[in-house]
Amino acid sequence: MFILHPCAHLLHLRHLPQSTFSRQYNLLPPFSIHTLPLQIRRIQSKTSLCISRASRRESRKAQNLQTQIEENSGDGDVDDDGEDAFSPRGRFRERGEEKDFDRDPEFAEILGSCLDDPEKARSKMEDRLRKKRNKILHTKTGSAIPMNVKFNNFEFSNSYIWFEFYNVPLEKDITLICNTIRSWYIVGRLGGCNSMNMQLSQSPLDKRPSYDAIQGANATPTTFYNIGDLEIQDNFARIWVDIGTSEPLLLDILINALTQISSDNVGIKQVVFGGSEFESWREDLTSEDAGYSVHKI
């Protein structure tokens, strides 16, 4: 009996006599050569299907992750296009969107006509203020009662300036007072408050202003020598000054600034120039718990 190898090719079997095959072999062949390619195709199709399903799952996961990242980044401080305000492109766009206030044609026209036609410039400025008063004017938090000013043996070279507020000043009020006094001192220190050289303020209003540089250079200089720190006890305050030269213009500038602060920001009952004692001020009170504080100028 001839035994057929399971892996033999069909071409090798055509030369064998048909009688050599048994009936059992013809009925149940051990291996079918036609089923192998079909099984391979089925395996390949199943493999391709699994790979495509896995690819779709990975794609959906990646899309969900990208959506979560965009939602989380959208909660931060970014602008509408998704660009951070601190990024170079964001800063460039912000600078491009800013209004160029230096080239305001309306304001330039007012300034240009203030010398030739002051009444016309004044009328235009009043009209501008009426239109934009909501952006310019703010609610006053000061006092409607005018600030009282007194002098008590004031010496320009060595004196205290005393303040009495209606209420205990808040931190923002103290900051405003300190910044005002600091600015006053800097302008005086640089000689900006010199009543001996006031050419423009003393010139006629109906003529075009002119300045004599030689006269300004030959004017007697003035300076603000020294200043102390602002001391506060409850609703009282004081500051030591050494103005040096007797320059009343310096005092006028400070009084004008404090008058505006008292009206708009924090109510000041009175300001006293000079004197070694004032109301209920206590020299031995230096504790913060008792309401004493010192603020650098």
Side-chain angles (χ1 to χ4, degrees), residues 57-98:
R57 285 196 299 268
E58 294 296 330
S59 178
R60 285 195 297 269
K61 290 181 180 179
Q63 292 177 356
N64 294 335
L65 180 60
Q66 182 67 22
T67 303
Q68 293 178 359
I69 294 175
E70 293 176 355
E71 292 176 353
N72 294 333
S73 62
D75 296 336
D77 296 334
V78 295
D79 42 4
D80 297 335
D81 297 334
E83 294 178 357
D84 193 347
F86 295 98
S87 64
R89 294 184 60 186
R91 290 195 299 267
F92 177 78
R93 188 173 64 255
E94 288 180 358
R95 288 195 299 267
E97 293 176 353
E98 290 180 355

Coordinates of all heavy atoms in Angstrom, one line a residue, residues 57-98:
R57 N -9.5 52.8 18.0 CA -9.5 53.0 19.5 C -8.4 54.0 19.9 O -8.6 54.9 20.7 CB -9.4 51.7 20.2 CG -10.7 50.9 20.2 CD -10.6 49.8 21.3 NE -9.5 48.9 21.1 CZ -9.5 47.8 20.4 NH1 -10.7 47.4 19.9 NH2 -8.5 47.0 20.3
E58 N -7.2 53.8 19.3 CA -6.1 54.7 19.7 C -6.4 56.1 19.2 O -6.1 57.1 19.8 CB -4.8 54.2 19.1 CG -4.3 52.9 19.7 CD -4.0 53.0 21.2 OE1 -3.6 54.1 21.6 OE2 -4.1 52.1 21.9
S59 N -7.0 56.2 18.0 CA -7.3 57.5 17.4 C -8.4 58.3 18.3 O -8.2 59.5 18.6 CB -7.9 57.4 16.0 OG -8.2 58.6 15.5
R60 N -9.4 57.5 18.8 CA -10.4 58.1 19.6 C -9.8 58.6 21.0 O -10.1 59.6 21.5 CB -11.5 57.1 19.9 CG -12.5 57.0 18.7 CD -13.8 56.3 19.1 NE -13.6 55.0 19.6 CZ -13.6 53.9 18.8 NH1 -13.9 54.0 17.5 NH2 -13.4 52.7 19.3
K61 N -8.9 57.8 21.5 CA -8.2 58.1 22.8 C -7.4 59.4 22.6 O -7.3 60.3 23.4 CB -7.3 57.0 23.2 CG -8.0 55.8 23.8 CD -7.1 54.7 24.2 CE -7.8 53.5 24.8 NZ -6.9 52.5 25.2
A62 N -6.7 59.5 21.4 CA -5.8 60.7 21.2 C -6.7 61.9 21.0 O -6.4 63.0 21.5 CB -5.0 60.5 19.9
Q63 N -7.9 61.8 20.3 CA -8.8 62.9 20.2 C -9.3 63.4 21.5 O -9.5 64.6 21.8 CB -9.9 62.5 19.2 CG -9.4 62.3 17.8 CD -10.6 61.9 16.8 OE1 -11.7 61.7 17.3 NE2 -10.3 61.8 15.6
N64 N -9.7 62.4 22.4 CA -10.2 62.8 23.7 C -9.2 63.5 24.5 O -9.5 64.4 25.2 CB -10.7 61.5 24.4 CG -11.9 60.9 23.7 OD1 -12.7 61.6 23.0 ND2 -12.1 59.6 23.9
L65 N -7.9 63.0 24.5 CA -6.9 63.6 25.2 C -6.6 65.0 24.7 O -6.4 66.0 25.5 CB -5.6 62.8 25.1 CG -4.4 63.3 25.8 CD1 -4.6 63.4 27.3 CD2 -3.1 62.4 25.6
Q66 N -6.6 65.2 23.4 CA -6.4 66.6 22.8 C -7.6 67.5 23.2 O -7.3 68.7 23.5 CB -6.4 66.5 21.3 CG -6.1 67.8 20.6 CD -4.7 68.4 20.9 OE1 -3.9 67.6 21.3 NE2 -4.6 69.7 20.7
T67 N -8.8 67.0 23.3 CA -9.9 67.8 23.7 C -9.8 68.2 25.2 O -10.0 69.4 25.5 CB -11.2 67.0 23.5 OG1 -11.4 66.6 22.1 CG2 -12.4 67.9 23.9
Q68 N -9.3 67.3 26.0 CA -9.1 67.7 27.4 C -8.1 68.7 27.6 O -8.2 69.6 28.4 CB -8.8 66.4 28.2 CG -9.9 65.4 28.3 CD -9.5 64.1 29.1 OE1 -8.4 64.0 29.5 NE2 -10.4 63.2 29.2
I69 N -7.0 68.6 26.8 CA -5.9 69.6 26.9 C -6.4 70.9 26.5 O -6.1 71.9 27.1 CB -4.7 69.1 26.1 CG1 -4.1 67.8 26.7 CG2 -3.6 70.2 26.0 CD1 -3.0 67.2 25.8
E70 N -7.2 71.0 25.4 CA -7.7 72.3 25.0 C -8.6 72.9 26.0 O -8.6 74.1 26.2 CB -8.4 72.1 23.6 CG -7.4 71.8 22.5 CD -8.2 71.5 21.2 OE1 -9.4 71.5 21.2 OE2 -7.5 71.3 20.2
E71 N -9.5 72.1 26.6 CA -10.4 72.6 27.6 C -9.7 73.1 28.8 O -10.0 74.2 29.4 CB -11.4 71.5 28.0 CG -12.4 71.1 26.9 CD -13.3 70.0 27.4 OE1 -13.1 69.4 28.5 OE2 -14.2 69.6 26.6
N72 N -8.6 72.4 29.3 CA -7.9 72.8 30.4 C -7.1 74.1 30.1 O -7.0 75.0 30.9 CB -6.9 71.8 30.9 CG -7.6 70.5 31.4 OD1 -8.7 70.6 31.9 ND2 -7.0 69.4 31.3
S73 N -6.5 74.2 28.9 CA -5.8 75.4 28.5 C -6.7 76.6 28.3 O -6.3 77.7 28.5 CB -5.0 75.2 27.3 OG -5.8 74.8 26.2
G74 N -8.0 76.3 28.0 CA -8.9 77.4 27.8 C -9.3 78.1 29.1 O -9.8 79.2 29.1
D75 N -9.1 77.4 30.3 CA -9.5 78.0 31.5 C -8.4 79.0 32.0 O -8.7 79.8 32.9 CB -9.6 76.9 32.6 CG -10.7 76.0 32.3 OD1 -11.7 76.4 31.6 OD2 -10.7 74.8 32.8
G76 N -7.2 79.0 31.4 CA -6.2 80.0 31.8 C -6.4 81.3 31.2 O -7.4 81.6 30.5
D77 N -5.4 82.2 31.5 CA -5.4 83.5 31.0 C -4.8 83.6 29.6 O -3.7 83.9 29.3 CB -4.6 84.5 31.9 CG -5.2 84.5 33.3 OD1 -6.4 84.3 33.3 OD2 -4.5 84.8 34.2
V78 N -5.7 83.2 28.6 CA -5.3 83.3 27.2 C -6.3 84.1 26.5 O -7.5 84.2 26.9 CB -5.1 81.9 26.6 CG1 -4.0 81.1 27.2 CG2 -6.4 81.1 26.7
D79 N -5.9 84.6 25.3 CA -6.9 85.4 24.6 C -7.7 84.5 23.7 O -7.6 83.3 23.7 CB -6.1 86.4 23.8 CG -4.9 85.9 23.1 OD1 -4.6 84.7 23.3 OD2 -4.1 86.7 22.5
D80 N -8.5 85.1 22.9 CA -9.5 84.3 22.1 C -8.9 83.4 21.1 O -9.4 82.3 20.7 CB -10.5 85.3 21.4 CG -11.3 86.1 22.4 OD1 -11.4 85.6 23.5 OD2 -11.7 87.2 22.0
D81 N -7.7 83.7 20.6 CA -7.1 82.9 19.6 C -6.2 81.8 20.2 O -5.5 81.1 19.5 CB -6.2 83.7 18.6 CG -7.0 84.7 17.9 OD1 -8.2 84.4 17.6 OD2 -6.5 85.8 17.5
G82 N -6.3 81.6 21.5 CA -5.5 80.6 22.2 C -4.0 81.0 22.4 O -3.2 80.2 22.8
E83 N -3.7 82.3 22.3 CA -2.4 82.7 22.5 C -2.3 83.4 23.8 O -3.1 84.2 24.2 CB -1.9 83.7 21.4 CG -1.8 83.1 20.0 CD -1.5 84.1 19.0 OE1 -1.4 85.3 19.3 OE2 -1.3 83.7 17.8
D84 N -1.2 83.0 24.6 CA -1.0 83.6 25.9 C -0.7 85.1 25.8 O -0.1 85.5 24.8 CB 0.1 82.9 26.6 CG 0.2 83.3 28.1 OD1 -0.5 84.2 28.5 OD2 0.9 82.6 28.8
A85 N -1.3 85.9 26.7 CA -1.0 87.3 26.7 C 0.4 87.7 26.9 O 0.9 88.8 26.5 CB -1.9 88.0 27.8
F86 N 1.2 86.7 27.5 CA 2.6 87.0 27.7 C 3.5 86.4 26.6 O 4.7 86.5 26.7 CB 3.1 86.3 29.1 CG 2.4 87.0 30.2 CD1 1.3 86.4 30.8 CD2 2.8 88.1 30.8 CE1 0.6 86.9 31.9 CE2 2.2 88.7 31.9 CZ 1.1 88.1 32.4
S87 N 2.9 85.8 25.6 CA 3.7 85.3 24.5 C 4.1 86.4 23.6 O 3.5 87.5 23.6 CB 2.9 84.3 23.7 OG 1.7 84.9 23.1
P88 N 5.1 86.3 22.8 CA 5.6 87.4 21.9 C 4.5 87.8 20.9 O 4.3 89.0 20.7 CB 6.8 86.7 21.2 CG 7.3 85.7 22.1 CD 6.1 85.1 22.7
R89 N 3.7 86.9 20.4 CA 2.6 87.2 19.5 C 1.5 88.0 20.2 O 0.9 88.9 19.7 CB 2.1 86.0 18.7 CG 3.1 85.3 17.8 CD 2.5 84.2 17.1 NE 1.4 84.6 16.2 CZ 0.6 83.8 15.6 NH1 0.8 82.5 15.7 NH2 -0.4 84.2 14.9
G90 N 1.2 87.5 21.4 CA 0.2 88.2 22.2 C 0.6 89.6 22.6 O -0.2 90.5 22.5
R91 N 1.8 89.8 22.9 CA 2.3 91.2 23.3 C 2.3 92.0 22.0 O 1.9 93.2 22.1 CB 3.7 91.1 23.9 CG 3.7 90.5 25.3 CD 5.1 90.8 25.9 NE 6.2 90.3 25.2 CZ 6.7 89.1 25.4 NH1 6.2 88.3 26.4 NH2 7.8 88.7 24.7
F92 N 2.6 91.5 20.9 CA 2.6 92.3 19.6 C 1.2 92.7 19.3 O 1.0 93.8 18.9 CB 3.2 91.4 18.5 CG 3.2 92.1 17.2 CD1 4.1 93.1 16.9 CD2 2.3 91.8 16.2 CE1 4.1 93.8 15.7 CE2 2.2 92.5 15.0 CZ 3.2 93.5 14.8
R93 N 0.2 91.8 19.4 CA -1.1 92.1 19.1 C -1.7 93.2 20.0 O -2.4 94.0 19.7 CB -2.0 90.9 19.1 CG -3.4 91.2 18.5 CD -4.2 90.0 18.3 NE -4.5 89.3 19.6 CZ -3.9 88.2 20.0 NH1 -3.0 87.6 19.3 NH2 -4.2 87.7 21.2
E94 N -1.3 93.0 21.4 CA -1.8 94.0 22.3 C -1.2 95.4 22.0 O -1.9 96.4 22.1 CB -1.4 93.6 23.7 CG -2.2 92.4 24.3 CD -1.8 92.0 25.6 OE1 -0.8 92.7 26.2 OE2 -2.4 91.1 26.2
R95 N 0.0 95.5 21.6 CA 0.6 96.8 21.3 C -0.1 97.3 20.1 O -0.2 98.6 19.9 CB 2.1 96.6 21.1 CG 2.9 96.4 22.3 CD 4.4 96.7 22.1 NE 4.9 95.8 21.1 CZ 5.5 94.6 21.3 NH1 5.6 94.2 22.6 NH2 6.0 93.8 20.4
G96 N -0.4 96.5 19.1 CA -1.1 96.9 17.9 C -2.5 97.4 18.2 O -3.0 98.3 17.5
E97 N -3.2 96.9 19.2 CA -4.5 97.3 19.5 C -4.6 98.5 20.4 O -5.7 99.1 20.6 CB -5.3 96.1 20.2 CG -5.5 94.9 19.2 CD -6.1 93.8 20.0 OE1 -6.3 93.9 21.2 OE2 -6.4 92.8 19.3
E98 N -3.5 98.9 21.0 CA -3.5 100.1 21.9 C -3.7 101.3 21.1 O -3.2 101.5 20.0 CB -2.2 100.2 22.7 CG -2.0 99.1 23.7 CD -0.7 99.2 24.4 OE1 0.1 100.1 24.0 OE2 -0.5 98.5 25.4

